[in-house]
Amino acid sequence: MSVDFRKLKSFVKVVDAGSVSRAAGLLRTAQPALSQQIAALESHFKHKLLLRSNHGIVPTEAGLILYRHAQLLLKQIEQAQIDIDQSTKALAGRVSIGLATYSASSTLSLPILKEMSTLHPQIIVHINDSFGHVLSELIMTGKMDMAMIYGSGPIKGVKLQPLFREELYLVSRAEPAAKKPTDEPLPLSALADVKLLLPSQGHFLRRLIDESLARARVTPNVASEIESVSALGAAVTEGLGSTILPASVAATASSFGGVEVRRLVRPAIEATVSLCVSDHLPLSEPALATRSVLLTVVEKLMRSHPQGIKAV
């Protein structure tokens, strides 16, 4: 005879009810069948487990020991069933992620979507890397779940978790071999006569570039202000000017095919990319799962040591 959980459940119910008949009613089992289960347990353990008294049925010392172990085993099997049921219920919902424009974070959208498709196929991921939105404000008001934005300083209503630093490079049209520039870093002071294609002055990168050029005592020669990655890449490759971007954007955006990147120094231009979430609105379960995937993708990026990307 094997001890199964059904017999243990019956035994616990008899002890709790203090009566075989009451336990049979609660379990919706015939009383003789319940008595047979108790007898089978006593036969297996070779000990009397229950005694009849004026107050009903009470456990013996051996019965009390079995009762305690049975309760623990039944709770464990119940929890196992709960965990198994939960494992089959895939997370579902909608999660929105903002990605800073002209940032290396925009190159992570495809890896994030691939990981989410594999791990959480029922979560709909909305990616927003468009211009004209202050991502931290969308987070603060609950219109977006999370974002990767420039900056690491305090912002009211949100929490920032610095992820990595990225260095900005001069990106120009590729020149013929005879005219190719040296691989030596270029000081910012050398940009005084370079036609630049930059984001508008409201963009974080533009403010950072202007501040860095000002420290180098350079007045930028801005030929156009462009707020489109594809349009910027096309303008650069057509030779309408150079731009200043993270190397990863120039390397991965199709519109920047064939461009050359050159490191800028004295001073170097660096920006911190941080994960931004609300400091007062809790993340949903799908959003928590998405954040975990995002951080894993960033960790993989850091392990690949891409050009211009540094640990914080």
Side-chain angles (χ1 to χ4, degrees), residues 127-149:
I127 299 287
N128 184 339
D129 64 352
S130 63
F131 287 89
H133 295 292
V134 180
L135 296 178
S136 60
E137 290 184 2
L138 297 178
I139 301 295
M140 182 175 58
T141 57
K143 295 178 180 178
M144 185 175 288
D145 293 301
M146 66 194 72
M148 295 175 67
I149 69 172

Side-chain angles (χ1 to χ4, degrees), residues 192-206:
D193 298 321
V194 176
K195 290 173 62 176
L196 293 176
L197 311 173
L198 299 175
S200 65
Q201 293 182 340
H203 195 281
F204 178 90
L205 277 192
R206 175 61 183 277

Side-chain angles (χ1 to χ4, degrees), residues 21-65:
S21 60
R22 282 198 294 271
L26 293 171
L27 292 170
R28 297 183 180 179
T29 302
Q31 185 172 334
L34 188 56
S35 297
Q36 289 177 1
Q37 291 179 36
I38 301 302
L41 287 173
E42 290 180 329
S43 174
H44 176 82
F45 289 108
K46 298 181 174 58
H47 281 279
K48 189 75 173 173
L49 300 175
L50 298 174
L51 293 173
R52 292 186 179 275
S53 71
N54 296 332
H55 303 289
I57 289 181
V58 295
T60 63
E61 189 63 31
L64 281 173
I65 294 173

Side-chain angles (χ1 to χ4, degrees), residues 21-292:
S21 60
R22 282 198 294 271
L26 293 171
L27 292 170
R28 297 183 180 179
T29 302
Q31 185 172 334
L34 188 56
S35 297
Q36 289 177 1
Q37 291 179 36
I38 301 302
L41 287 173
E42 290 180 329
S43 174
H44 176 82
F45 289 108
K46 298 181 174 58
H47 281 279
K48 189 75 173 173
L49 300 175
L50 298 174
L51 293 173
R52 292 186 179 275
S53 71
N54 296 332
H55 303 289
I57 289 181
V58 295
T60 63
E61 189 63 31
L64 281 173
I65 294 173
L66 178 60
Y67 178 78
R68 289 193 293 269
H69 283 285
Q71 280 188 312
L72 180 61
L73 289 169
L74 291 172
K75 285 180 180 178
Q76 289 177 330
I77 198 65
E78 181 182 5
Q79 186 60 51
Q81 184 65 59
I82 291 172
D83 292 343
I84 290 170
D85 290 342
Q86 289 295 327
S87 70
T88 62
K89 295 179 182 178
L91 285 171
R94 182 183 180 89
V95 179
S96 53
I97 307 173
L99 301 175
T101 50
Y102 290 150
S103 162
S105 65
S106 62
T107 66
L108 299 178
S109 57
L110 185 57
I112 290 171
L113 290 172
K114 284 183 175 180
E115 286 289 319
M116 290 298 296
S117 177
T118 300
L119 298 176
H120 307 289
Q122 294 189 40
I123 295 178
I124 300 172
V125 180
H126 172 71
I127 299 287
N128 184 339
D129 64 352
S130 63
F131 287 89
H133 295 292
V134 180
L135 296 178
S136 60
E137 290 184 2
L138 297 178
I139 301 295
M140 182 175 58
T141 57
K143 295 178 180 178
M144 185 175 288
D145 293 301
M146 66 194 72
M148 295 175 67
I149 69 172
Y150 283 117
S152 58
I155 301 177
K156 184 179 179 181
V158 299
K159 294 184 294 186
L160 295 182
Q161 176 185 349
L163 299 175
F164 54 84
R165 289 181 298 130
E166 54 186 14
E167 190 173 357
L168 306 189
Y169 289 68
L170 182 70
V171 181
S172 308
R173 181 174 68 173
E175 296 292 342
K179 296 183 179 180
K180 278 194 175 181
T182 176
D183 292 333
E184 289 295 318
L186 186 70
L188 285 188
S189 58
L191 299 183
D193 298 321
V194 176
K195 290 173 62 176
L196 293 176
L197 311 173
L198 299 175
S200 65
Q201 293 182 340
H203 195 281
F204 178 90
L205 277 192
R206 175 61 183 277
R207 297 195 300 271
L208 182 62
I209 292 167
D210 286 348
E211 290 169 2
S212 299
L213 289 173
R215 288 199 297 274
R217 301 182 183 277
V218 172
T219 300
N221 179 14
V222 181
S224 297
E225 294 181 339
I226 303 176
E227 295 191 343
S228 163
V229 174
S230 58
L232 180 62
V236 170
T237 55
E238 284 293 317
L240 299 181
S242 300
T243 190
I244 299 176
L245 285 176
S248 59
V249 177
T252 57
S254 58
S255 60
F256 281 93
V259 297
E260 294 174 344
V261 297
R262 192 169 177 186
R263 187 164 179 256
L264 296 170
V265 293
R266 299 200 299 271
I269 309 177
E270 291 185 351
T272 299
V273 175
S274 299
L275 176 63
C276 176
V277 297
S278 172
D279 67 359
H280 59 283
L281 300 173
L283 291 175
S284 65
E285 287 295 323
L288 287 170
T290 304
R291 182 181 66 177
S292 177

